[in-house]
Amino acid sequence: MTLVRLDTGLARKASVILDGIRRDGEGSLSPEIITRLKGLPALLLTSGLPATMAFFYAEAGTTDPLSRAYEAVRVALVDEIAGELGWDDRPDALGFFERIGDPERTAAADLARVTGRLEKFAEWLRRLTEALDHSAPRPVGDGVPDPGPGGGDG
């Protein structure tokens, strides 16, 4: 059995999710998707796991790249939660909240542990999104003034 560090395992999972989102966007991420993915760690920290998951269940869909990105992230978050809590299936929204809201099925300590893991996963999604955003080719005239001949030295 090979040991895998938590951070590298989560980085790999985030990379796979982000690659799928990028492929869905025909090789790039829209500015709106970039903004939303970069905001996931803050959303988890400020709103908590239940509210964050309610948001992702509500926004996930199949109609456009943003809703599909929400769906990909929602599925990844549920997979992480299910793996940590030993669930055999992946519940819909009502089943999810029934499980995490039942203290006999999900202890407060388990919910805290899962939340910590998801915060780390969200950080990897943010980091990798930033890396893709910073390495994306920029079109000419992207707001950076052209220094002209001589590089603008006066």
Side-chain angles (χ1 to χ4, degrees):
M1 180 174 156
T2 303
L3 293 177
V4 177
R5 287 176 43 141
L6 174 64
D7 60 341
T8 57
L10 292 175
R12 182 188 161 283
K13 289 176 183 180
S15 176
V16 168
I17 298 305
L18 194 55
D19 186 51
I21 293 169
R22 183 174 62 170
R23 278 185 281 120
D24 182 56
E26 299 177 4
S28 65
L29 298 173
S30 73
E32 187 173 19
I33 290 174
I34 289 169
T35 299
R36 302 302 170 96
L37 292 176
K38 286 167 61 174
L40 179 56
L43 182 63
L44 272 167
L45 286 171
T46 59
S47 298
L49 177 62
T52 298
M53 291 306 299
F55 176 76
F56 273 85
Y57 271 108
E59 297 297 321
T62 60
T63 57
D64 58 82
L66 181 60
S67 68
R68 289 190 298 271
Y70 279 127
E71 175 66 8
V73 173
R74 184 199 63 78
V75 167
L77 294 173
V78 171
D79 282 347
E80 286 300 310
I81 294 165
E84 279 294 303
L85 297 179
W87 298 348
D88 293 330
D89 63 342
R90 305 305 183 255
D92 64 9
L94 296 178
F96 176 85
F97 288 102
E98 180 182 321
R99 289 179 192 186
I100 67 164
D102 181 353
E104 291 185 19
R105 295 175 85 178
T106 307
D110 291 334
L111 194 56
R113 186 185 77 250
V114 167
T115 300
R117 183 178 180 94
L118 292 183
E119 287 170 355
K120 288 176 178 38
F121 178 73
E123 281 294 322
W124 276 111
L125 268 177
R126 182 188 57 77
R127 288 179 185 134
L128 295 174
T129 299
E130 288 174 344
L132 284 177
D133 186 33
H134 292 299
S135 66
R138 303 286 182 214
V140 175
D142 63 353
V144 177
D146 182 3
D153 297 335

